[in-house]
Amino acid sequence: MIEPYDRVPFPVFFREEADFGDVYGGPGGFVFFDGHLLRPRERASKTVVVFNHPIGGGAWLPLVRGLAAAGHHVIYCNGRYRGNDTALIMEKCVVDLGRTIQHAREELGYERVLLGGWSGGGSLSLYYQQQAENPTVTHTPAGDPYDLTAAGLIPADGVMLLAAHISRAGTLTEWMDASILDESEPHRKDPELDLYNPDNPNQPPYSDEFLERYRRAQVARNARITAWAVERLADLKREGGARKEHCFVVQGTMADPRWLDPAVDPNDRPPGRCYLGDPETVNTGPTGLARFTTLRSWLSQWSLEKSNADGLACAADISVPVLVVNNGADDACTPSHARRLYAAVSHTDKEFHEIAGATHYYLGQGDKLAEAVAICGDWIDR
């Protein structure tokens, strides 16, 4: 099938002083990544939707392609951490998105930019817009200088939150295995909090009391890792290693009661599944959130207490129109996330839509994809 648009890759390249590279390969002190412009052949426009995600890789997503096929100009920003979030710093993701928007305006000639915050790109879009409208961040949560007030961020003209979650830190915390008692010995578990222990007396459907206890334990576990990361980083600095790092593994990051009990944050997702497959397998598998990370990266993207990229807090600070689209059978970003994001936007120029039966990626759901494209397209045009 010949698509009715041209796909034009373009490079983003700039100098950034750093003591070590953020990703493997490439010269030190430089940032390079690629973007994709999907430019419809039959429709000129001065408006472009810039999609983003902290780890990129979504230039071929059904929604990205669907909007371009419908005549909307679309850019996908891959960012420097494409496919690898082990050392990701959210503040640097903001700068990469800003450079892409600058390229869209100054090199490609677009006059209006709308942010397409799909999935994990939702909270990044909100963090970007917050700092573009009123920049305040001058250091990363680890205390390293990184001045967003001097980054020249260009505010977008609107934000779309599409199958989005509240934040990487919030999502990880809600997915963490609350039964792990000691990070150095992850096999030591509280049997009454182990969702995958058949002898656990707490089984679906879960009681409100159990869910409250479980959520408290998840938050406490995130806080323990954060406290350790802060202390370890301080030890390294006291030892004279101002830029030294410590890399570590986080076990057990896919044990959300939602996946086993469909009555928890209910939608049309199938029970016993998450977007990566069997949640028990994913819980200890190599592709789980935050499986391998660093002290600085933990504090910037995974720490509930320290991360600046809190979608809910950022949403309250932005002034531009916001569209929220929730997928009714999403098995990654469940409906409470969409509702919380919508409620967090403090102004009234906002819309909420739900696509019944739609999954996270719309794969094999041409009718649901068409509905999403129509909702987004109408909002973009207006």
Side-chain angles (χ1 to χ4, degrees), residues 137-223:
V137 173
T138 58
H139 292 72
T140 72
D144 298 323
Y146 201 77
D147 193 354
L148 297 185
T149 70
L153 304 176
I154 303 171
D157 299 290
V159 177
M160 297 191 294
L161 303 174
L162 312 168
H165 59 64
I166 56 171
S167 68
R168 287 172 80 74
T171 299
L172 171 68
T173 304
E174 292 181 3
W175 292 0
M176 292 186 90
D177 189 338
S179 69
I180 293 178
L181 301 173
D182 187 335
E183 298 302 318
S184 65
E185 297 182 86
H187 57 280
R188 289 187 55 230
K189 294 185 174 185
D190 181 336
E192 292 192 359
L193 291 178
D194 187 354
L195 301 186
Y196 305 121
N197 179 359
D199 297 324
N200 184 345
N202 301 291
Q203 296 292 331
Y206 297 119
S207 68
D208 291 342
E209 292 77 12
F210 173 74
L211 290 172
E212 182 179 352
R213 177 187 173 192
Y214 194 87
R215 295 305 188 198
R216 286 200 308 268
Q218 288 177 309
V219 171
R221 185 181 171 206
N222 187 294

